């Protein structure tokens, strides 16, 4: 007898047959005596279809009207899922973001949730209904439709779980949990039973796109018990997915490193011979930010002879643009040269265990060195060590590190 | 400097190119100094796509959820049209039915409009914006999404024109006005400059599907000046369409008959030897109505020998179902026999002029008799004479009547 919020992504509701599968899973939870609130995304492909329509009319679509259009994707799914539920005898009612009153700020296409009115949902649950809510959308104070940005349905799920003080927020997706690394690269990759929020944040931001990063932050902040599961396994037969926990409740036997994440899409840029004086980092990165280019790793080493070298990575798609901007910046600040390399990738070892285990970094560097892999950049946080390397070594590096940290050993 | 409500149907907004055409037309009206409120339908094909999705999940889709799904069609169009307008420098803002607050009753899929909040629209118009409203939809007192039924966008247009006391409500469609009859049957058919609401009602209900009948009733009731135009003609080059007038302001020279309407989809059913006693019509038609079968013409002649014959027409698609029901009814009421014919059609002459001109009916019957066309049923109203005939004579009958009443003569 628990209150469970379930979120189903676009591939889980991609067509009527899959929606029927989702309905049967929900019915099984109801039969076990649970109250269920469901959040759904748009059917896969639908959001892209709508974006293409908008872009055919406006190169840079008006954000308010874009939200009016995009929000219809989820609205269709909530109606269809309620129909599928009713067809198998489960009473259900749908709510758009505006109807359940997910109040957001007015930042169209990237709105933040301010509050949720849980009263109508509680009344429906009490009356024995499954509540089906459109993910990804809300409404601002003036009644304008807003959306939370791509992947925002995860955030809706977590926000509803927080507002309803649900026992668990289950995120159904096309994978059955969070893995130690990508099984396509390392066949021995294992599913993790638990992972901490901090680790999940590092894994998510490093390219393990199981969960939207904002939803993980949100869940951590509001102490929502979050679980990632597969919607393609039969109810009762599938595993328990991966539980994302607030506390580091791993026992001592457990591995220091939880997973190896990687990102193929890194491109490296270096400005050589930068005058080593205050404000120089801003002078270099300011124009990059203004061009809406996201910067990932930033490295500036100690200066020498009054100059220093400044490096950072960007998404590979932004490489040429960023390089052009840096050429202008170079003239302006009197730097020597701009170097670029878009054949790089990033590999990271993530684990809260490294806090209490010194020597993880050197263990990692030795393993890579033994394979002859040169490290181009190094960046560390409290629970993560990332290296930028030549992209041709990506698979090799991931496999080596996976083995080095004992992630392929069954426990 | 007028306030004009324009309604564009599904074919007028079927793709981005056509939406751009609509935007240019609106811009031209703005440039001429008019305030414009626009009502749009779903892009053609979209409503059918959504219905198919729903029917894949529920044989008899839940009406509340059906409205949640169907209303997204128009919601996409309003966003797209606003984008197209902004792209050519026309400021615009979109409203869903719920946002503009088109309050309806709670009859899902066939809701009636109760009130419209015109304040936000007036504020936008004053600020120089074009207001784009989703047709076909509203919201009930509890905030549930409702729809007005197929063709409901016309009704939305007329209702907005009434609420805003607009100078004119223009219904843009794929024909350039109302014709004396279908030009595909009679190439000499002429576009009417004006037609009365009463005539339009008869024409619409008889198969000239230019305007949704409810919107015509609505316009007549609220004295909204209604005009049917083509959205496929260039602005300024097209004609004036057909103005639907409240008063019969035709001059004496004008034809008695305004148009020849027809309907191919009629099927005729007759119960022979019905005991001629009170309540028998209800006993026959009650079960038909319960089966949700619309009945068109009903004829019962005077009885003879204590029995009478009872005939009516239904849509051809309902023929077999209605016949089955009548067989049961026949046993129950002790009638002699049920006859059916689904190879019939209906042809009607419509015109307010016939009120003051006796002899129209006999003129019509003589013309048809001269062509050897047998009349199976006759039904008349104050401004209409309908005959049911063998479907093979349809084109011949329409052509003959069109000529008989001088409709092919230019004026």
């Amino acid at each position: 007898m628990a209150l469970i919020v379930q979120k189903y992504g676009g591939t889980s509701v991609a067509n009527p047959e899959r929606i029927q599968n989702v309905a049967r899973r929900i019915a099984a939870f109801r039969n076990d005596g649970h109250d269920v609130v469901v959040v759904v995304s748009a059917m896969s492909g639908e959001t892209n279809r709508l974006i293409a329509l908008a872009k055919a009319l406006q190169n840079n679509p008006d954000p308010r009207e874009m939200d009016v259009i995009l929000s219809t994707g989820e609205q269709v799914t909530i109606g269809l899922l309620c129909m599928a539920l009713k067809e198998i005898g489960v009473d259900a009612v749908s709510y758009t973001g505006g109807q359940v009153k997910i109040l957001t700020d007015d930042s169209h296409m990237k709105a933040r949730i301010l509050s949720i009115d849980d009263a109508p949902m509680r009344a429906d649950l009490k009356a024995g209904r499954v509540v089906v809510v459109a993910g990804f959308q809300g409404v601002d104070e003036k009644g304008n439709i807003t959306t939370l940005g791509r992947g925002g349905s995860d955030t809706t799920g977590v926000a509803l779980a927080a507002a309803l003080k649900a026992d668990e927020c289950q995120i159904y997706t096309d994978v059955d949990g969070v893995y130690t690394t990508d099984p396509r690269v390392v066949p021995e990759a294992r599913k993790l039973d638990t992972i901490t929020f901090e680790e999940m944040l590092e894994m998510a931001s490093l390219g393990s796109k199981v969960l939207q990063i904002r939803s993980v932050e949100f869940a951590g902040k509001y102490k929502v018990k979050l679980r990632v599961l597969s919607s393609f396994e039969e109810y009762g037969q599938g595993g328990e997915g991966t539980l994302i926990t607030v506390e580091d409740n791993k026992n001592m036997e457990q591995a220091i490193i939880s997973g190896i994440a990687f990102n193929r899409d890194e491109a490296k840029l270096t400005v050589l011979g930068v005058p080593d004086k205050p404000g120089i980092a801003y002078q270099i990165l300011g124009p990059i930010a203004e061009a809406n280019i996201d910067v990932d790793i930033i490295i500036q080493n100690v200066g020498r002879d009054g100059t220093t070298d400044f490096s950072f990575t960007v998404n590979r798609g932004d490489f040429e643009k960023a390089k052009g901007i840096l050429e202008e910046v170079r003239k302006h600040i009197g730097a020597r040269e701009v170097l670029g390399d878009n054949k790089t990738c990033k590999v990271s070892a993530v684990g809260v265990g490294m806090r209490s285990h010194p020597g993880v970094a050197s263990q990692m560097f030795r393993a890579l060195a033994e394979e002859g892999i040169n490290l181009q950049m190094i960046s560390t946080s409290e629970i993560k060590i990332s290296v930028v390397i030549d992209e041709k070594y990506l698979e090799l590096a991931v496999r080596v590190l996976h083995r080095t940290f004992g992630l392929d050993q069954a426990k």
Side-chain angles (χ1 to χ4, degrees), chain A residues 206-249:
Chain A
L206 291 169
S208 301
K209 282 159 190 160
V210 175
L211 273 176
Q212 207 233 357
I213 188 160
R214 235 169 90 200
S215 68
V216 178
E217 287 174 354
F218 210 93
K221 186 171 168 190
Y222 289 98
K223 307 262 184 287
V224 171
K225 208 170 142 189
L226 199 59
R227 191 184 291 277
V228 177
L229 301 125
S230 167
S231 66
F232 294 101
E233 287 175 352
E234 283 295 310
Y235 173 75
Q237 290 182 18
E240 297 283 301
T242 299
L243 181 66
I244 300 157
T245 58
V246 176
E247 281 130 45
D248 174 15
N249 53 7

Side-chain angles (χ1 to χ4, degrees), chain A residues 3-221:
Chain A
L3 170 54
I4 298 169
V5 174
Q6 301 186 331
K7 180 260 169 178
Y8 293 93
T11 52
S12 304
V13 293
N15 55 49
E17 292 69 36
R18 292 200 184 161
I19 291 174
Q20 286 166 335
N21 284 341
V22 167
R24 278 192 291 270
R25 180 181 302 273
I26 294 166
F29 272 88
R30 287 284 305 140
N31 288 342
D32 283 354
H34 301 302
D35 283 337
V36 186
V37 173
V38 184
V39 175
V40 286
S41 300
M43 298 166 80
S44 65
E46 182 63 7
T47 301
N48 287 336
R49 183 182 76 88
L50 294 169
I51 289 173
L53 277 174
K55 295 223 162 166
L57 289 166
Q58 225 180 355
N59 289 328
N60 197 8
D62 181 81
R64 180 189 184 276
E65 302 303 336
M66 196 69 203
D67 282 352
V68 168
I69 293 170
L70 286 181
S71 61
T72 63
E74 287 73 21
Q75 188 170 327
V76 169
T77 317
I78 57 173
L80 294 176
L81 180 55
C82 281
M83 287 178 179
L85 284 164
K86 287 183 174 228
E87 189 70 7
I88 57 172
V90 177
D91 197 11
V93 62
S94 75
Y95 288 101
T96 64
Q99 286 177 323
V100 83
K101 201 117 197 194
I102 296 178
L103 189 72
T104 72
D105 61 22
D106 59 2
S107 307
H108 286 290
M109 298 175 70
K110 50 176 195 290
R112 299 247 153 199
I113 297 176
L114 301 177
S115 69
I116 293 177
D117 182 10
D118 60 331
M121 285 185 285
R122 286 195 193 281
D124 285 316
L125 290 172
K126 205 170 172 185
R129 292 186 198 104
V130 169
V131 175
V132 180
V133 179
F136 171 70
Q137 59 184 253
V139 70
D140 74 6
E141 220 172 284
K142 288 179 185 159
N144 297 304
I145 296 169
T146 56
T147 67
L148 312 178
R150 281 249 168 172
S153 290
D154 287 351
T155 306
T156 303
V158 173
L160 286 175
L164 291 163
K165 295 181 179 56
D167 295 286
E168 192 168 299
C169 179
Q170 302 177 337
I171 307 286
Y172 286 90
T173 173
D174 47 4
V175 298
D176 64 352
V178 180
Y179 275 70
T180 51
T181 194
D182 189 335
R184 284 168 300 187
V185 172
V186 183
E188 295 79 20
R190 284 181 309 102
K191 183 169 73 68
L192 295 163
D193 293 334
T194 64
I195 187 171
T196 69
F197 279 106
E198 289 167 294
E199 288 170 334
M200 190 66 209
L201 280 176
E202 293 288 4
M203 295 289 273
S205 68
L206 291 169
S208 301
K209 282 159 190 160
V210 175
L211 273 176
Q212 207 233 357
I213 188 160
R214 235 169 90 200
S215 68
V216 178
E217 287 174 354
F218 210 93
K221 186 171 168 190

